[in-house]
């Protein structure tokens, strides 16, 4: 079915095509059978975690960035300590400045992730899934009686023109 390559393996073109076709079919089936909104609270345990993972409810990039930052900070610090033996000023500059630049760059990346998380939480609260805090703000708004009377009164040609001029 597949051609053999010069090195004795299967030709990549045919294998890539078959894998791509199977991946498209599997992705479509997973989406329509597993990731529908009606299944949101249906799964528990590992299947619940898998649903959240595939639906991007939880972001892994935050934990990965923290680990990469710690590894990078350790490397920069160790490199700075080794550089101290060659040039004291260069070693101190590497330890202080590179760690500072590294920290600032990772904080910018994490701020983007935090903005994304906060935006999705606000969206959930506004859309009605968790309206406890949203109702608190709405209940504090007071509408003047004149506005209520104006919109509850029967509409006549004069009130409609007045309403249009106010709006």
């Amino acid at each position: 079915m597949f051609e053999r390559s010069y090195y004795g393996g299967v030709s990549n073109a045919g294998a890539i095509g078959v894998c791509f076709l199977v991946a498209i079919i599997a992705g479509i089936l997973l989406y329509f059978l597993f990731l529908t909104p009606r299944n949101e609270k249906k799964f528990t345990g590992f299947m619940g975690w898998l649903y959240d993972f595939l639906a991007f409810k939880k972001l892994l990039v935050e934990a990965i960035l923290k680990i990469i930052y710690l590894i990078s900070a350790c490397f920069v610090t160790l490199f700075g300590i080794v550089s101290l033996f060659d040039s004291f000023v260069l070693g101190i500059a590497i330890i202080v400045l590179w760690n500072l630049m590294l920290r600032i760059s990772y904080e910018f990346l994490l701020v983007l992730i935090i903005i994304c998380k906060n935006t999705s939480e606000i969206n959930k609260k506004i859309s009605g899934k968790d309206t406890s805090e949203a109702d608190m703000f709405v209940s504090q708004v007071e509408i003047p009686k004149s506005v209520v009377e104006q919109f509850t009164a029967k509409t006549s040609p004069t009130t409609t023109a007045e309403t249009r001029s106010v709006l």
Side-chain angles (χ1 to χ4, degrees), residues 104-148:
I104 290 171
S105 63
Y106 276 92
E107 282 185 12
F108 278 129
L109 293 173
L110 284 176
V111 162
L112 293 174
I113 294 168
I114 291 169
I115 289 171
C116 176
K117 287 170 59 174
N118 288 343
T119 304
S120 69
E121 286 179 22
I122 291 169
N123 190 25
K124 285 179 187 176
K125 289 178 181 179
I126 290 175
S127 69
K129 292 181 182 176
D130 183 15
T131 59
S132 57
E133 291 182 29
D135 287 341
M136 177 182 71
F137 293 116
V138 172
S139 64
Q140 292 177 355
V141 175
E142 293 183 24
I143 301 172
K145 288 183 179 181
S146 61
V147 174
V148 173

Side-chain angles (χ1 to χ4, degrees), residues 36-48:
T36 57
R38 63 183 162 89
N39 289 339
E40 188 168 350
K41 301 289 182 188
K42 184 177 179 182
F43 302 110
T44 58
F46 175 75
M47 292 300 285

Side-chain angles (χ1 to χ4, degrees), residues 27-36 38-39 42-43 51:
I28 291 171
L29 286 175
L30 272 174
Y31 180 78
F32 285 110
L33 297 176
F34 187 67
L35 292 177
T36 57
R38 63 183 162 89
N39 289 339
K42 184 177 179 182
F43 302 110
Y51 179 86

Side-chain angles (χ1 to χ4, degrees), residues 145-154 159 162-164 166:
K145 288 183 179 181
S146 61
V147 174
V148 173
E149 291 171 358
Q150 182 180 4
F151 287 107
T152 57
K154 293 182 181 178
T159 57
E162 291 172 2
T163 307
R164 287 184 187 152
V166 170

